[in-house]
Amino acid sequence: MSNDLELVTIEEAAQIVGKTPANIRDYIQRGRIGKYNEEGEPIQRAANGHLRVSLKEIRVFLSLIEQGLEKHHHAGLHPELGFYDVPEYQRTKHVHRLHPYLGKFIPQLVEWFLARYFQADDVILDPFMGSGTTLVQGNEMKMHTIGIDISPFNCLIARVKLAKYDVIEARAEILEIERRVTTFSKYLTRSQEVNLSLFPEERMDGLKESLLAECQSEYLRTWFAPRALLEMLYYRRLIQNYRYQDLLRVVLSRAVRSSRLVPHYDLATPKAPLPVGEQYWCRKHNRYCMPIDNCITKIHAYSEDTARRIAQFDKLRSDKATVVIQGDSRNVNLPAELSNTPIAGRPIDGIFTSPPYVGQIDYHDQHIYAYELFGFPRQDELEIGPKKRGKSKQAQEEYIDGISAVFRNILPFLKPDGKIFIVANDRFNLYPEIARRSGMKIVDEFHRAVTKRTEQGDDPYQETIFFMMKAG
Ligand SMILES: C[S@@+](CC[C@H](N)C(=O)[O-])C[C@H]1O[C@@H](n2cnc3c(N)ncnc32)[C@H](O)[C@@H]1O
């Protein structure tokens, strides 16, 4: 079977037929070619790294297009909202890639809607802010933005993206702390490059002991190699000496995430730590890989990168208000939260948001390493539609209740003709009922193919952007 189909990965197919991987995902999304496992059996969902496509099918499909017998855009998908031609570096431009976040949308999607339905100086609210994509894009377009999120770490990421920095000082701090941890790391590994007599054995032992004494977390002790753990604990200790502490926390958290004892192909949802120093077969790189044993490599990788990204955004950011509120959108008191801001008392012109979907992601858990490292309080039980509660009928009912409660809480502060855009993968068709219970009407629906949400696997899927307004 598999021989007949000529099974290859998406990347291989793209290379062979001279298309981009996004094109191939798009063909799958439109149902023009099938999805297979490595054995050539048709499948609905593919685990990361296991999706195969048939070269034969692709060639047939492309030849039909050439003959004018097939059209690309006949699946009801909006042709402009696929953003197939937007390369990865644009989707993750400047601060949008300061920290990984499972489930963020791309800034180009936000830009498309804000540009068509709003104008400079409008006030835009995102009640499920996540890592702050709506706020960053809105700010760039000279709009005031407000974001609410239940997860304290998501709020930290968003604040760090949006903050105004003295970029020269911020860069100096990032590079100085990197240099200090590099020196520490060299002592740890007894590198010939450092003068070990300057840092005698007893002092080093004392330092290691005191760092480990600061680490109560079983998680950190289990998911990191001993050297990686010491390096990140040392970095964490140094942060207090600097001005831009949250920025440094984000650099460290990003490095720590990439330094976990997890396989390269499963950074987003690892199940268990790998044994230190033992090779594993890596589905991402198609070879044996070694789990990472240190953190400094990733600190190097992300330090300069972070300094560059905040400097890029600094040139684009406007002076419009950006307000990040940590709380439950079902009961946040918006007027009170805004009372000390430049947009106090202003009605909201529009909402642009992507709520959690039923049973897909545990938003606190995806950043467990950061919660363990910095000790932020967790509010998992207030997440709407978390993965751990599943997708059962009851979970769907709770989800409808939760999302409706959010809109009922914020709609009183939206202008009567305010526009609401909700990005949702509504496979259970829950949003018509959510609209009804919240006092909203659906004005229009845009369908788009999602060919690559960060690290969400190979599977393309469809999502809807509901355009709603207040009913009546
Ligand atoms: C799909 S994500 C939003 C991603 C965002 N658009 C981005 O680009 O980063 C949904 C967010 O809703 C948040 N959330 C879940 N329940 C919430 C609640 N009760 N109140 C506020 N935020 C909540 C989650 O923490 C998560 O960050």
Side-chain angles (χ1 to χ4, degrees):
M1 172 95 171
S2 56
N3 278 348
D4 291 348
L5 289 168
E6 293 181 60
L7 293 174
V8 287
T9 64
I10 288 181
E11 287 70 24
E12 288 164 346
Q15 213 171 22
I16 295 169
V17 300
K19 299 279 175 188
T20 65
N23 292 140
I24 307 293
R25 290 194 180 92
D26 178 40
Y27 306 155
I28 300 176
Q29 174 65 37
R30 292 168 200 287
R32 311 323 299 158
I33 60 170
K35 294 197 280 191
Y36 300 93
N37 62 16
E38 285 132 322
E39 280 71 52
E41 293 154 355
I43 49 171
Q44 290 299 317
R45 300 199 61 74
N48 236 345
H50 288 297
L51 180 66
R52 296 292 178 270
V53 289
S54 160
L55 258 186
K56 228 175 212 170
E57 283 182 6
I58 295 174
R59 289 201 173 108
V60 170
F61 172 59
L62 291 177
S63 82
L64 288 175
I65 288 182
E66 238 168 59
Q67 299 163 42
L69 298 176
E70 271 281 5
K71 284 205 179 65
H72 276 287
H73 302 298
H74 67 69
L77 298 175
H78 194 291
E80 284 179 32
L81 294 178
F83 302 106
Y84 313 112
D85 304 330
V86 181
E88 172 82 3
Y89 74 88
Q90 283 291 340
R91 293 166 178 247
T92 55
K93 60 187 173 178
H94 54 78
V95 291
H96 293 292
R97 180 159 274 175
L98 274 199
H99 197 285
Y101 174 96
L102 189 61
K104 66 179 153 201
F105 47 36
I106 56 172
Q108 286 76 14
L109 178 67
V110 185
E111 182 180 19
W112 197 92
F113 283 94
L114 293 190
R116 277 162 185 77
Y117 293 93
F118 300 100
Q119 53 196 16
D121 210 45
D122 277 357
V123 179
I124 308 295
L125 167 68
D126 184 346
F128 299 103
M129 171 191 66
S131 61
T133 312
T134 303
L135 282 73
V136 171
Q137 184 58 43
N139 174 274
E140 216 179 304
M141 297 169 79
K142 301 187 172 48
M143 296 172 194
H144 302 282
T145 52
I146 308 161
I148 312 170
D149 204 283
I150 192 63
S151 148
F153 184 63
N154 294 351
C155 293
L156 179 93
I157 300 178
R159 284 197 187 100
V160 163
K161 287 180 176 178
L162 291 158
K164 169 84 186 132
Y165 298 97
D166 173 335
V167 290
I168 298 192
E169 186 179 347
R171 161 179 285 270
E173 289 197 351
I174 292 172
L175 299 187
E176 184 185 296
I177 197 167
E178 177 191 6
R179 188 179 47 69
R180 290 173 72 180
V181 181
T182 304
T183 309
F184 172 75
S185 172
K186 284 180 177 162
Y187 283 121
L188 266 187
T189 54
R190 308 189 63 78
S191 156
Q192 297 307 313
E193 286 171 54
V194 286
N195 182 350
L196 291 172
S197 64
L198 288 177
F199 213 55
E201 194 83 344
E202 324 79 70
R203 216 182 116 198
M204 195 62 190
D205 285 347
L207 179 56
K208 284 200 253 178
E209 255 170 49
S210 74
L211 286 171
L212 290 175
E214 284 169 12
C215 173
Q216 308 305 327
S217 162
E218 193 49 38
Y219 173 89
L220 295 182
R221 287 170 181 264
T222 319
W223 284 76
F224 297 88
R227 177 180 157 200
L229 180 63
L230 284 167
E231 289 167 353
M232 62 203 226
L233 292 174
Y234 188 59
Y235 193 118
R236 181 179 74 174
R237 184 187 278 184
L238 293 178
I239 287 177
Q240 60 187 324
N241 303 315
Y242 295 94
R243 173 176 170 198
Y244 293 124
Q245 299 188 6
D246 282 344
L247 178 63
L248 297 175
R249 284 189 186 99
V250 166
V251 177
L252 176 58
S253 171
R254 189 175 169 202
V256 162
R257 179 180 185 276
S258 305
S259 307
R260 290 167 300 166
L261 289 164
V262 299
H264 294 133
Y265 54 82
D266 198 13
L267 288 174
T269 50
K271 314 286 171 298
L274 295 165
V276 182
E278 265 181 43
Q279 288 192 338
Y280 64 95
W281 177 253
C282 180
R283 296 205 296 263
K284 183 171 173 193
H285 299 115
N286 255 332
R287 58 175 157 80
Y288 282 99
C289 286
M290 200 64 158
I292 187 164
D293 73 341
N294 69 85
C295 188
I296 193 68
T297 310
K298 299 298 176 183
I299 292 171
H300 291 321
Y302 302 142
S303 293
E304 174 68 34
D305 181 74
T306 302
R308 186 172 49 80
R309 287 176 184 278
I310 60 168
Q312 283 169 345
F313 181 56
D314 191 63
K315 295 205 176 83
L316 303 170
R317 72 193 301 290
S318 67
D319 58 0
K320 299 295 169 186
T322 56
V323 184
V324 171
I325 303 166
Q326 192 275 315
D328 184 341
S329 291
R330 285 170 286 202
N331 50 36
V332 153
N333 182 337
L334 216 41
E337 294 285 349
L338 297 177
S339 61
N340 288 325
T341 73
I343 45 174
R346 277 197 55 175
I348 291 160
D349 296 280
I351 294 173
F352 194 91
T353 195
S354 144
Y357 308 144
V358 200
Q360 290 223 325
I361 297 176
D362 291 321
Y363 282 95
H364 282 74
D365 251 7
Q366 69 160 303
H367 300 303
I368 179 171
Y369 51 90
Y371 283 97
E372 294 288 327
L373 186 62
F374 299 117
F376 304 128
R378 292 180 62 147
Q379 300 204 296
D380 301 50
E381 70 291 351
L382 296 178
E383 270 182 35
I384 298 171
K387 185 173 181 182
K388 38 175 102 77
R389 266 190 242 139
K391 301 176 182 174
S392 63
K393 272 276 161 232
Q394 193 196 332
Q396 292 176 30
E397 192 46 48
E398 285 172 15
Y399 177 84
I400 294 176
D401 264 0
I403 302 285
S404 311
V406 169
F407 285 104
R408 282 200 304 273
N409 183 37
I410 58 181
L411 285 186
F413 312 105
L414 182 74
K415 282 183 173 168
D417 60 349
K419 301 179 186 73
I420 305 157
F421 294 93
I422 304 171
V423 183
N425 176 2
D426 193 18
R427 68 174 65 160
F428 300 117
N429 197 28
L430 308 179
Y431 274 81
E433 178 61 12
I434 288 171
R436 199 187 61 73
R437 288 199 205 172
S438 321
M440 304 189 289
K441 61 178 181 214
I442 300 177
V443 179
D444 205 351
E445 287 180 30
F446 303 79
H447 300 283
R448 69 181 291 260
V450 184
T451 48
K452 204 165 173 50
R453 265 208 181 193
T454 336
E455 288 182 7
Q456 235 159 283
D458 285 338
D459 263 343
Y461 61 94
Q462 231 190 74
E463 71 187 4
T464 305
I465 295 100
F466 292 96
F467 172 14
M468 303 201 195
M469 291 179 81
K470 289 188 193 186

